[in-house]
Amino acid sequence: MRSHRLPACVTLGALALTGLAACGQQTAKTEKIAVTASDTACEVARTELPAGAHTFSVTNKGSKVTEFYVYAKDGSIKGEVENIGPGTTRDVHVELVAGEYESACKPGMKGDGIRGKLTVTGQATALTSDPKLAAAVAAYKAYVSGEADGLLAKTTEFAAAVKAGDVAKAKELYPVARTHWERIEPVAESFGDLDPAIDARENDVEAGQEWTGFHKIEKDLWTTGDVSGDARVADKLVADVTEIVRRAKTVDLSPVQLAAGSKELLDEVATGKITGEEDRYSHTDLWDFAANLEGAKAAIDALRDALAERDSGLLTALDAKFATVQAALDKHKAGTGWKPYTELSTADTKELSNVINGLAEPISKVAAVVAR
């Protein structure tokens, strides 16, 4: 709960120390909730929480890279932090209303993870009680809606080309359709049952599961050029995208999710696109890179007025860093798109990696500023 919106009966000192019932509402504790992850355990220091904004601080004491998630009862993801290396600690900010949730650590970033129960009780003043944050959520939801429409339209065209055996057209449409996906990937990924069906790479598919989605068709297009067996995969892709678009247009978002999503998109670039492993057959990784950057900036732009009020220095730093990344990326334009990733030199990829890391530092501070 933000100090400038405290009820008169709550003191700043009391809020800093504990969660209280005040004026009929509760305020969340301000200290971090420690999560100790290992290869075999996921220990959350507190599993009963007051409603409001919380920060989970996840330390990986195992030998495998891990992830941490907070799931709502319907299976949607309310907060996540990925790529937590052994011996490192990363934070995730989450705004939670009363209800039952699950925490999950995923050592090796596979499967359903090691799950535990989280119970949230009481009421708290929503972050969107701040008009600037409410406007930010509304603006970003409009952005998501527009990109969702584009995703469905271009995925439908892409699937039609695949079913018609028009390899050249399908190759042309593949990165265009994925651009819309990558811009709103954090929202799309929050529906955990659909994301793997749409965007899994071959090594992401667990034993006994069928590989479907964009990357399955990508492999066939660029390795053999034979998509004659992909009609069913194309139809399923359209059906899955149609459902995720429906959900994306009605999803409830917290301002914290906008901030966390912008950081997640940069993490996607730093861990996937910059290595060339995401689009490993088509080498259209720079299309995804650019889309992730655009999506991250859209979230920050939606939060602009709130950030200007709460931390104008951070907003100035973000604008400068975004401009630096865009300038480095623009060197690799090709027509209306981007060069194949394989045409970049080691110096090129090092420059892109450095500027992304430079942007990641200030963007990692946004969620805490929004949540306070």
Side-chain angles (χ1 to χ4, degrees):
M1 188 172 181
R2 300 174 304 286
S3 60
H4 64 285
R5 294 196 176 271
L6 286 174
C9 56
V10 182
T11 67
L12 288 173
L15 176 61
L17 293 173
T18 186
L20 298 173
C23 301
Q25 293 183 321
Q26 287 185 331
T27 58
K29 285 190 176 182
T30 56
E31 78 271 15
K32 293 180 178 180
I33 300 165
V35 179
T36 304
S38 70
D39 296 346
T40 57
C42 186
E43 299 174 2
V44 181
R46 295 180 60 213
T47 58
E48 295 185 4
L49 308 171
H54 296 277
T55 301
F56 293 89
S57 187
V58 188
T59 300
N60 183 3
K61 294 189 176 181
S63 62
K64 302 175 182 177
V65 177
T66 195
E67 303 170 327
F68 178 76
Y69 293 81
V70 176
Y71 290 99
K73 197 169 184 178
D74 63 1
S76 63
I77 299 169
K78 305 304 290 182
E80 65 179 298
V81 57
E82 301 178 343
N83 295 295
I84 310 168
T88 63
T89 299
R90 294 186 65 187
D91 294 348
V92 57
H93 301 271
V94 187
E95 184 179 15
L96 301 173
V97 299
E100 297 295 326
Y101 299 84
E102 279 190 316
S103 61
C105 297
K106 294 188 179 182
M109 301 190 292
K110 292 282 189 179
D112 292 332
I114 303 165
R115 299 209 174 199
K117 184 178 179 181
L118 291 174
T119 301
V120 177
T121 59
Q123 292 181 322
T125 302
L127 294 174
T128 49
S129 64
D130 181 331
K132 288 184 173 62
L133 291 180
V137 170
Y140 186 69
K141 287 182 74 172
Y143 174 78
V144 168
S145 180
E147 289 301 320
D149 288 339
L151 171 63
L152 181 55
K154 290 303 177 182
T155 301
T156 301
E157 290 182 37
F158 170 67
V162 170
K163 292 173 68 176
D166 190 339
V167 171
K169 185 67 172 177
K171 284 184 173 182
E172 177 186 331
L173 286 166
Y174 172 80
V176 178
R178 285 188 56 77
T179 289
H180 296 288
W181 170 267
E182 295 288 345
R183 285 174 181 154
I184 59 171
E185 191 167 9
V187 175
E189 284 185 339
S190 69
F191 311 114
D193 56 332
L194 288 170
D195 172 57
I198 293 170
D199 198 36
R201 294 165 297 181
E202 190 168 13
N203 56 288
D204 296 326
V205 181
E206 297 183 22
Q209 293 182 337
E210 181 187 9
W211 185 26
T212 61
F214 278 116
H215 294 300
K216 168 64 172 70
I217 299 173
E218 177 204 7
K219 181 179 182 180
D220 293 338
L221 284 170
W222 271 273
T223 58
T224 67
D226 182 5
V227 290
S228 59
D230 285 331
R232 189 177 62 82
V233 178
D235 284 340
K236 186 178 189 312
L237 177 61
V238 172
D240 289 340
V241 165
T242 298
E243 176 60 15
I244 217 164
V245 166
R246 183 190 69 78
R247 295 190 197 181
K249 284 176 171 286
T250 59
V251 68
D252 289 327
L253 295 173
S254 162
V256 172
Q257 286 176 288
L258 274 62
S262 63
K263 178 64 167 64
E264 182 185 335
L265 285 169
L266 291 189
D267 289 345
E268 287 279 340
V269 173
T271 60
K273 282 70 175 181
I274 204 64
T275 65
E277 67 180 54
E278 177 77 13
D279 296 294
R280 60 191 65 168
Y281 310 107
S282 63
H283 306 302
T284 55
D285 302 87
L286 289 185
W287 289 76
D288 288 3
F289 185 127
N292 283 162
L293 184 65
E294 290 162 2
K297 191 171 188 305
I300 298 302
D301 283 344
L303 291 163
R304 179 168 296 276
D305 287 349
L307 290 175
E309 179 180 77
R310 293 165 179 238
D311 193 333
S312 60
L314 177 59
L315 181 59
T316 298
L318 286 165
D319 286 342
K321 295 295 185 180
F322 268 113
T324 298
V325 176
Q326 192 64 58
L329 181 60
D330 284 347
K331 296 177 184 179
H332 308 295
K333 282 185 174 179
T336 58
W338 304 92
K339 293 178 184 177
Y341 187 80
T342 48
E343 291 185 11
L344 271 62
S345 67
T346 300
D348 291 332
T349 57
K350 183 177 180 180
E351 180 187 26
L352 290 172
S353 179
N354 287 341
V355 295
I356 279 293
N357 288 336
L359 174 56
E361 191 275 330
I363 217 166
S364 68
K365 300 176 180 179
V366 175
V369 170
V370 168
R372 70 188 184 203

